[in-house]
Every structure is written in C-alpha cells, then in structure tokens.
Amino acid sequence: MTATTMAMSPEEAIKKFKGMLTEEDKDPWGTDSTLLRFLRAREYDLDASYKMYTRCLQWRRANKIDQILDNPPKKLEYYKKLVSSKIHGFCKEGRPVYVERVGKIHYPTVLEYLTVDDLIEIHIYHMESLAKLARESSEKLGKDVCQSVQIVDLQGLSMSHRHGLAFIQRCAKVDEQYYPETMGKLFILNAPRLFPFFWGICKAWVHENTQKKIQVVSSNHEEVLREAIPAHFLPCELGGKCNCYVKHVADKKGSEKKQQQMCVPILDLSEMKDKLKYRGDAFDSMAHMSLRVAAGSCEEVLVKGIDAEKGSLFTWNFKTLAKNIEFSITCLPGDIELTSEPKHNSEAKAKDEHEILAEKFAAEFKARKPFALTEAVKCDKAQGSFRSPIPCDLRFTFDNKYSWMTGKDIRHKLTATCLEQ
C-alpha cells in the first residue's frame, strides 16, 4: 500500500476505483460495497484491486453466477441429506449467520454422491445466498452489510475428514479470489485433539487477514456466541433461544405438547449409505462419471495429484456398458528435483491384488519423464490403485481407435486423495 492510498478515505478510493472501470467493467453486481471489499482485500492498492475485480467479473459472467440462485445446483438435495448445515438468522451487526456441523460430515459417503465439482458449485450457491441476505440486511438497517458470520462445530472430527481436504483447498481458493472480505467472523467449536493436525494443513490456504477473523472457542461457547448473536437467532443446541425446530407431538394420553429439537439437526446417514449403488456394483456408484468414446477415437482423462510435496493415493475403476476398450495409464512425474533417489524395495508388498507399487518405478521417477504405469490392454472393466509418495499426475487413456463401427459408453471413477502417512 503506497503513501497515497494510505491517505485516501474509503470514499475517495471508491471514486478513483470507479474512474478506472471501462464500460465493459461496469456491472450491477459491482456496487460501492463490492468495490470496497476488493479494495480492502488488496489493501487499497488500486491496480491490484482492479485486476482482482475484473478477473472475478469475468468468472461470474462465464459461469453465470448471477443466475445460480434461480437455478440451484442439481445435487443440492443430496447435499442436504449428507451435510448438516443451515443459514440461521443474523448477528447483532446484521450479518447473516451460517452454521455447519463439519465434524459430522462423513466424506467417504459424501464423495460417493457428490464430486468435488458438485461440492464447489453448492458452496458458491451458499455464498451467493449469504450475499443476498447481506444486501437485504443493508437495505433494512441503512448501513453497509457485506459479510457473514460462520459457526463451525468440529465435534466428531476424525481422520476420515482428510478425504475432504481437496474440497476445502478449492473452497479457500474460490473464497479468496471471488468472495474477498465476505467473512466477518468464524467461530470454531468443539475442536478435538486432531484439530491442530488439520489446521496445520489448511492454514496455508487461508489468507492472513482471514486467519485473524477465526476464533477457536475452547469453553463457554454459549457465552461467546451470545455476545455476537442475539439469543433468538442462536440455535437452541448452542445456547440460544431459537425455537425454529419445535415439533408438536401427542403424548400417551393424546394431549399435544411441544418437543424441542435441534435447529441444525444431526443427520442420520444410514439410509444414504444403504442406498449407495456402490454396494451392489463396484463400478456403478453415484460418484462415477459417464464418458462416451466415439468409434475410431480416443479419450484421455487427467487426474492431478493432491499433495505437491508428499504425493497422493490414486484409485480407479471403470466398466464399459458394451464390449471392450483399450485401457492404459501413463504417469506424469512432478517437475521437481528429488532430494534423494527413489529406492526399489524388493520386499514391498501391495495391499491388494489391484495395487501398483511405486517402488517398482524408481528409475522412471528419477528421470522425471512420462512413463507407462500400465501397458495398454483391451478389457471391459478394470480397477486398481497407485500409492505414490512422489508427486505425480496420472493420465487415463480409453482408446477406441481400433473400432471403426462401435462407440463405447464408459462409467468411471478416477480419484486422487491424500496419501496416508
């Protein structure tokens, strides 16, 4: 931030910012409140703010973000059955409050129904919902409200949550690039012993300014939350007086009585787990993608590694709906200098018959050039895994060039998750 920008008031900065906008840059979304958020995110550096704003505007137009509230994500109903969350009233400053029971999320089940792209689309939908409520609060209170308050309950956090790290990383990137300065406060409740482990990973993805707004509440969370949120807006299970989930039931004598339940209920995932198609068919879960390979053509799918330093666990399974296809996997080592030569461990054992051992490709990884992880073979289905402590991506090839008359329809699930330590 220069001395000139430091001397400017927010009003003066907004005026100068507006002067930089071309006709193409002007948009109803770009209100004074929005421009001020981007200025704050870049510490009133006009050039940096303008660059960030125009990139965001291009993204919003390309992805039709302004229309997302009128066209909710197709898998939103799945999300509601899998993730316990709710927009729940307003804080004392008029900011909308969002509550999520992150500790109760079972990512292995969630990712059977929803891809990371699905989850990101739903996250954007929620961000736009909060932004709309903030605008409505601004009009009602006659002041600028552009942020939200979030309450995250980590009770139940376990190592299974590591499967959600790829989603959390993308969320942090989306929020920083396209929703700067929209989080006013984040309360973290019931942080278990595992929390430092996960925070040590996630912290690198969160901007320093955002980190300052995070408060880990170790005890007396009711008192802390009541200081920020009116009791009638605070969920009853968090110490508030909200009765939005009061249920009227009849007792044994037939008299009606009120039964207080949680405002943000803990979901029972047993039904969703039972409904998983994956249980009956290992190649046809709801998380599988469809791929059409036309006659005489070839399709490739690139799956990028998760951790650029520690490597990833890749898994794959697919089947063709009719006849076979030529299938192969190519490994693309990361473009980094290895600190030590990968060693071949002749005693290393695969965890199952479908796992490929990284130790067998020590020389190929050292060369840092693409190599065949599996040779091309014609088949109608395949499954396997590759546990690589060395950073790399995998390219899956479905080759149908030999078939000039018949196209192939494929159902596949190709994933990369964090490598277990």
Side-chain angles (χ1 to χ4, degrees):
M1 183 164 59
T2 65
T4 303
T5 55
M6 287 178 65
M8 282 194 299
S9 67
E11 293 77 13
E12 291 173 322
I14 291 173
K15 185 176 181 180
K16 286 183 177 291
F17 197 170
K18 284 183 174 180
M20 298 173 67
L21 301 179
T22 65
E23 286 300 317
E24 186 179 353
D25 298 332
K26 295 177 181 179
D27 191 273
W29 164 77
T31 61
D32 286 4
S33 176
T34 299
L35 297 179
L36 185 58
R37 285 196 294 105
F38 283 85
L39 285 166
R40 287 172 177 164
R42 290 297 176 261
E43 299 183 333
Y44 289 86
D45 183 319
L46 289 170
D47 290 334
S49 300
Y50 174 78
K51 185 176 181 180
M52 185 184 191
Y53 170 81
T54 51
R55 282 183 176 177
C56 180
L57 184 58
Q58 291 172 4
W59 171 78
R60 293 183 67 86
R61 288 172 174 171
N63 293 281
K64 300 180 179 180
I65 302 301
D66 289 340
Q67 301 174 25
I68 194 170
L69 294 182
D70 297 324
N71 301 283
K74 294 180 180 180
K75 294 189 178 180
L76 182 60
E77 292 306 311
Y78 277 141
Y79 181 88
K80 291 178 179 178
K81 294 179 180 180
L82 293 163
V83 178
S84 181
S85 64
K86 193 175 186 180
I87 295 177
H88 200 275
F90 298 84
C91 75
K92 293 180 179 179
E93 296 181 24
R95 299 172 296 188
V97 176
Y98 177 77
V99 184
E100 184 170 307
R101 296 184 181 277
V102 173
K104 298 299 182 182
I105 298 175
H106 188 245
Y107 276 106
T109 299
V110 171
L111 293 173
E112 284 293 340
Y113 286 93
L114 305 167
T115 65
V116 173
D117 286 340
D118 292 330
L119 290 170
I120 289 297
E121 183 183 8
I122 293 169
H123 174 69
I124 292 170
Y125 176 82
H126 285 154
M127 293 300 290
E128 291 297 312
S129 298
L130 290 169
K132 180 183 178 182
L133 289 172
R135 290 193 298 271
E136 292 172 354
S137 185
S138 292
E139 295 176 4
K140 181 178 179 179
L141 300 176
K143 67 175 186 178
D144 183 27
V145 179
C146 61
Q147 296 179 324
S148 65
V149 172
Q150 300 184 28
I151 302 174
V152 170
D153 188 349
L154 294 184
Q155 187 174 25
L157 188 74
S158 69
M159 285 305 294
S160 71
H161 282 75
R162 71 188 185 278
H163 297 292
L165 288 174
F167 163 61
I168 294 170
Q169 183 179 22
R170 283 186 59 183
C171 265
K173 185 176 181 179
V174 167
D175 290 352
E176 183 178 341
Q177 291 182 342
Y178 307 128
Y179 296 95
E181 294 295 314
T182 55
M183 190 179 78
K185 190 72 176 180
L186 171 60
F187 295 102
I188 295 179
L189 313 181
N190 300 313
R193 292 182 179 179
L194 270 177
F195 174 68
F197 167 77
F198 282 104
W199 178 237
I201 297 173
C202 300
K203 187 176 181 180
W205 307 331
V206 182
H207 194 279
E208 291 182 3
N209 292 341
T210 303
Q211 291 183 29
K212 296 175 183 177
K213 302 173 184 177
I214 300 174
Q215 180 178 353
V216 180
V217 185
S218 56
S219 60
N220 299 322
H221 68 256
E222 296 93 345
E223 182 178 342
V224 173
L225 294 176
R226 282 182 179 180
E227 289 180 2
I229 303 169
H232 65 280
F233 277 140
L234 190 62
C236 59
E237 62 268 26
L238 298 180
K241 296 182 179 180
C242 176
N243 60 359
C244 69
Y245 219 78
V246 169
K247 190 176 183 180
H248 295 271
V249 296
D251 60 18
K252 294 181 179 179
K253 297 181 180 180
S255 300
E256 188 178 83
K257 65 177 182 178
K258 293 182 179 179
Q259 184 182 80
Q260 180 72 55
Q261 296 185 342
M262 292 182 177
C263 297
V264 187
I266 296 175
L267 300 176
D268 182 1
L269 300 181
S270 58
E271 182 180 353
M272 296 301 286
K273 290 180 179 179
D274 288 341
K275 286 183 177 180
L276 282 177
K277 294 181 181 179
Y278 190 79
R279 291 167 62 92
D281 185 347
F283 300 92
D284 199 27
S285 77
M286 291 184 181
H288 278 64
M289 306 291 289
S290 296
L291 178 67
R292 174 69 176 176
V293 185
S297 68
C298 176
E299 295 288 344
E300 295 181 340
V301 179
L302 178 66
V303 176
K304 293 190 175 182
I306 292 295
D307 195 321
E309 296 180 358
K310 299 179 182 179
S312 306
L313 168 63
F314 296 90
T315 61
W316 60 88
N317 59 35
F318 84 92
K319 71 173 181 180
T320 60
L321 301 186
K323 302 187 178 182
N324 57 18
I325 197 163
E326 191 171 279
F327 173 69
S328 63
I329 306 174
T330 303
C331 182
L332 311 173
D335 189 20
I336 62 171
E337 189 70 36
L338 298 180
T339 56
S340 61
E341 181 179 345
K343 296 181 179 180
H344 174 69
N345 184 358
S346 59
E347 298 182 357
K349 295 183 179 180
K351 291 190 175 182
D352 59 61
E353 60 180 305
H354 302 295
E355 184 179 19
I356 299 174
L357 297 175
E359 288 84 351
K360 295 181 179 180
F361 301 94
E364 288 85 349
F365 273 114
K366 184 180 179 182
R368 289 189 293 168
K369 293 182 179 180
F371 62 90
L373 190 67
T374 66
E375 297 297 331
V377 59
K378 291 180 181 178
C379 56
D380 61 356
K381 63 181 180 180
Q383 68 182 87
S385 63
F386 181 58
R387 193 179 304 272
S388 175
I390 302 169
C392 64
D393 302 330
L394 295 188
R395 184 174 65 219
F396 298 85
T397 301
F398 301 91
D399 194 340
N400 196 35
K401 292 179 181 176
Y402 64 90
S403 179
W404 290 100
M405 300 294 292
T406 307
K408 308 291 171 62
D409 291 301
I410 296 170
R411 292 280 291 169
H412 68 77
K413 182 180 179 183
L414 316 172
T415 66
T417 56
C418 295
L419 189 64
E420 296 180 15
Q421 299 301 311

